[in-house]
Amino acid sequence: MTSFALHGVGVSGGIAIGRAQLVSHATLEVAHYTIDSGNVGAEIARFDNAVREVQRELEGLHATMTGGDAPAEFGAFLDVHWMILTDPTLSDTPKKIVAEQRCNAEWALVQQMNVLVEQFDTIDDPYLRERKADVVQVVERILKRLLGKPGPVTPAGAEQHTILVAHDLSPADVIQFKRHRYAAFLTDVGGATSHTAIVARSLAVPAVVATHNARQLIRENELLIVDGTNNVVIVNPDKSVLAEYRLKQGELSLERARLRRLITKPATSIDGVEIELQANIELPGDLLQTLENGASGIGLFRSEFLFLNREGLPSEDEQFEAFRSVAEGMRGKPVTIRTFDLGADKQASGLEGLARVAPNPALGLRAVRFCLAEPRLFLTQLRAILRASHYGKVKILVPMLVSVSEIDQTLAMIAQAKESLREEGIPFDSGVAIGGMIEIPAAVLAISAFLKRLDFLSIGTNDLIQYTLAVDRADDTVSHLYDPLHPAVLRLIAMAIAAADRAKVPIAVCGEMAGEARLTRLLLGLGLTNLSMHPAHLLSIKQRVLTTDIARARVLMARMHRIDDPVRLSKLLDKLNA
Ligand code: PEP
Ligand code: MG
């Protein structure tokens, strides 16, 4: 076996050594895990239930769609799906696979689908050959049902040494892996601050994106080393390379153990400035990791993840329960809930009827723009957040604001949500703080309007960089242009912090820059005292804060305004970090 290396963009540091598991088409990215022999019966029952639910779904569609004006072919199309669904090759064989391989039902189903699709490919009759698309559609229906009702939590074991290799993964795909413990991730495409990368980072395992052709070059079960810190993947390493990386892995885990001693230590700089180090989370399940890493609050709860990987939209009660569990879990520490930022690379299946195909989704109806266009959904969420504010220190954060009218409309919606709760006698914190994300250059240039109307601000550097430099954060072909140290980006961040300080409005950074140790002193030197990041980064950033003289960093950063040459800027950064 030849050994070779692949280069990409490391989005989550550390070293993993494991076997490759190739995952195929994005819509069918399903997890693969083994189940205990005692759980085989339950897993088969889960599969049977999912098939029954799809049967009911098809019956329902038949009843509602085949009468009246529906085209006649529709009935025939549903009949074909019914036949495929009830054929033993699809409704029985996966169960045998579950029993034989002791694998989860999703994996058994996809394996069987691949067998069937291959058989269809050999058929001469083009009409029959095309029916393979129907098989895939029926499988997708069953998968959706299965994913809505997850199986038993994976036992520790095989997965810990499994490295997922995919062409592309959506943020919704990756979030599902939070239930599993894969050793690392590789994808062919993706930018360093794409939401896929962000979620991969939150899994606290090494990840390398933009490898271009890993999915093609790597074969199932090959031995891989993923070095997320140095942006490299080594396929089929020889013995000496393997030994070297095992050594490095050992050193890293020692370093992690050392950092754990800092958990309860306050994040105070050498010259006595207290810094808030808060956590970014996607789901209530991230609370444990947040507490384990000693966060002083939650600076960003990306609430849109409650809308992904599910049938329909989460109800007010469901959202409320999620927010309340986090508010209570943080025991009085601040919990900043961002109103949902759907659109662009995060699409909820329940919004299919509302979503329009946008020619340029990152500049389209995303985040608060979408919320204001769909006030019913927005109000539902605002009521849920407000209700949760009764159970802890909740703050509301609104993404992608750009204009005064958006701020005013949002404030009016919050007032309306409060009024409706008051009328119903439902308790909430009437003084709940309302903040805005600074993610668009225009918001910095017109920041006084934000400062007058909002209680706090949080700079979303991931989007601020994307919109300042006109570089799609999810597109690996331009990832070399995505530069947090571009003088324009730094000036915008500096301007926002200085303006907020003058107006005495609290300001934080919650983009990925906040979790990068080499940028900590730069941000502190610009006057920042609140950083929010993935829980996995909290301790290394705390270590950085503890060794920073902020007065010195401020003096050095004052020079930054005069520098527009990247080489001089990087020298300044070296000096800061020396
Ligand atoms: C950001 O844009 O920096 C941010 C924190 O929000 P998101 O990454 O979810 O767009
Ligand atoms: Mg953003």
Side-chain angles (χ1 to χ4, degrees):
M1 271 179 292
T2 30
S3 172
F4 59 95
L6 292 168
H7 296 268
V9 179
V11 294
S12 184
I15 292 167
I17 300 172
R19 298 270 164 195
Q21 182 179 310
L22 306 185
V23 278
S24 50
H25 190 268
T27 56
L28 296 177
E29 304 281 10
V30 300
H32 173 195
Y33 51 92
T34 46
I35 50 175
D36 292 335
S37 46
N39 280 328
V40 167
E43 193 62 7
I44 288 176
R46 193 165 79 88
F47 178 78
D48 276 335
N49 269 338
V51 170
R52 263 197 301 278
E53 280 178 13
V54 176
Q55 280 176 353
R56 278 197 290 274
E57 184 183 324
L58 292 178
E59 279 165 2
L61 282 171
H62 218 290
T64 52
M65 308 288 275
T66 52
D69 305 332
E73 313 85 76
F74 199 77
F77 159 80
L78 288 175
D79 289 341
V80 170
H81 277 211
W82 178 272
M83 274 162 51
I84 295 170
L85 179 69
T86 50
D87 193 282
T89 52
L90 208 66
S91 55
D92 270 344
T93 311
K95 294 193 278 188
K96 292 191 184 118
I97 299 176
V98 168
E100 277 163 25
Q101 300 184 9
R102 286 206 287 114
C103 66
N104 56 317
E106 291 90 341
W107 189 248
L109 178 61
V110 169
Q111 283 188 78
Q112 177 60 4
M113 181 199 73
N114 288 337
V115 171
L116 293 175
V117 163
E118 267 178 38
Q119 288 171 1
F120 273 95
D121 280 338
T122 61
I123 298 176
D124 285 336
D125 180 335
Y127 172 78
L128 282 180
R129 204 168 49 235
E130 283 315 304
R131 301 285 59 77
K132 90 175 171 196
D134 294 300
V135 173
V136 174
Q137 280 170 14
V138 172
V139 167
E140 283 178 339
R141 282 185 196 275
I142 306 174
L143 278 176
K144 263 194 184 167
R145 298 288 169 169
L146 284 170
L147 293 172
K149 296 190 184 63
V153 174
T154 319
E159 276 185 357
Q160 285 181 1
H161 305 289
T162 299
I163 293 174
L164 286 191
V165 184
H167 175 67
D168 191 11
L169 293 171
S170 72
D173 291 327
V174 182
I175 201 95
Q176 291 179 50
F177 300 139
K178 287 207 179 197
R179 291 195 301 119
H180 308 288
R181 302 185 55 189
Y182 291 109
F185 284 87
L186 296 183
T187 58
D188 287 344
V189 300
T193 62
S194 64
H195 285 100
T196 298
I198 288 172
V199 180
R201 205 167 287 146
S202 78
L203 305 179
V205 295
V208 178
V209 301
T211 55
H212 299 299
N213 44 14
R215 179 72 177 70
Q216 249 185 326
L217 296 176
I218 296 172
R219 272 166 300 165
E220 186 80 19
N221 220 29
E222 271 183 323
L223 186 63
L224 306 178
I225 296 174
V226 178
D227 182 346
T229 313
N230 295 304
N231 312 322
V232 70
V233 181
I234 301 169
V235 187
N236 295 321
D238 64 30
K239 272 192 186 143
S240 62
V241 173
L242 203 56
E244 190 187 318
Y245 272 94
R246 287 209 196 283
L247 204 70
K248 281 195 197 172
Q249 228 181 0
E251 283 163 9
L252 280 177
S253 54
L254 268 181
E255 172 63 19
R256 264 197 290 273
R258 266 197 294 273
L259 282 177
R260 302 210 68 72
R261 295 192 204 130
L262 303 180
I263 291 176
T264 53
K265 221 173 159 60
T268 311
S269 69
I270 292 179
D271 47 344
V273 183
E274 277 229 21
I275 306 297
E276 293 289 330
L277 297 182
Q278 302 191 332
N280 293 353
I281 66 167
E282 280 91 35
L283 291 170
D286 299 333
L287 194 60
L288 185 65
Q289 204 195 359
T290 302
L291 295 170
E292 278 176 358
N293 285 285
S296 65
I298 288 174
L300 177 67
F301 180 167
R302 290 184 164 99
S303 72
E304 61 275 12
F305 280 88
L306 298 173
F307 290 65
L308 305 183
N309 295 321
R310 52 171 298 135
E311 287 279 307
L313 300 169
S315 65
E316 178 184 315
D317 280 349
E318 215 177 323
Q319 293 187 60
F320 160 64
E321 287 303 340
F323 300 146
R324 184 179 69 162
S325 67
V326 175
E328 282 181 343
M330 288 304 288
R331 297 165 193 266
K333 288 182 180 151
V335 174
T336 314
I337 302 174
R338 173 172 77 188
T339 56
F340 62 87
D341 181 354
L342 288 169
D345 58 347
K346 287 174 292 190
Q347 302 288 349
S349 61
L351 297 175
E352 273 145 4
L354 302 171
R356 291 131 246 213
V357 180
N360 194 339
L363 300 182
L365 201 60
R366 183 193 152 182
V368 72
R369 302 168 177 188
F370 180 72
C371 289
L372 292 174
E374 297 296 340
R376 213 171 30 83
L377 295 182
F378 198 18
L379 268 180
T380 301
Q381 181 172 67
L382 291 172
R383 279 175 54 101
I385 301 176
L386 286 166
R387 284 170 61 190
S389 71
H390 183 63
Y391 299 88
K393 191 171 177 208
V394 168
K395 298 164 149 197
I396 301 177
L397 179 62
V398 187
M400 288 279 290
L401 286 168
V402 73
S403 69
V404 168
S405 90
E406 277 174 351
I407 302 176
D408 289 345
Q409 285 179 63
T410 302
L411 294 177
M413 296 276 296
I414 296 173
Q416 191 184 336
K418 284 182 174 178
E419 197 44 47
S420 68
L421 291 175
R422 253 184 227 115
E423 276 165 15
E424 291 166 39
I426 299 175
F428 62 93
D429 171 9
S430 58
V432 65
I434 302 167
M437 289 192 72
I438 300 293
E439 311 191 84
I440 303 174
V444 181
L445 298 174
I447 202 161
S448 58
F450 287 67
L451 294 166
K452 275 187 215 129
R453 289 168 175 79
L454 296 165
D455 301 315
F456 68 98
L457 300 178
S458 191
I459 308 176
T461 50
N462 306 335
D463 277 315
L464 186 63
I465 297 168
Q466 150 164 280
Y467 295 125
T468 304
L469 304 179
V471 173
D472 185 337
R473 60 194 269 196
D475 183 349
D476 61 295
T477 61
V478 284
S479 59
H480 59 291
L481 300 173
Y482 188 94
D483 180 12
L485 294 176
H486 190 292
V489 171
L490 293 181
R491 264 172 223 169
L492 286 168
I493 296 173
M495 278 168 69
I497 296 171
D501 279 351
R502 277 195 302 275
K504 300 203 171 13
V505 172
I507 188 161
V509 165
C510 64
E512 297 302 292
M513 280 178 83
E516 270 195 60
R518 85 188 165 109
L519 302 180
T520 306
R521 287 187 184 155
L522 178 152
L523 293 172
L524 299 180
L526 291 176
L528 199 74
T529 54
N530 186 328
L531 294 99
S532 191
M533 66 206 78
H534 276 300
H537 295 155
L538 282 163
L539 294 177
S540 57
I541 300 297
K542 189 186 280 188
Q543 190 184 39
R544 204 81 183 143
V545 170
L546 293 171
T547 55
T548 298
D549 177 346
I550 293 185
R552 174 177 178 269
R554 274 184 171 262
V555 170
L556 286 172
M557 284 309 291
R559 287 190 212 158
M560 181 203 82
H561 296 277
R562 296 189 297 275
I563 302 179
D564 45 22
D565 168 7
V567 178
R568 285 184 56 210
L569 204 60
S570 108
K571 277 198 183 132
L572 177 69
L573 197 62
D574 288 346
K575 205 162 180 180
L576 259 177
N577 286 329

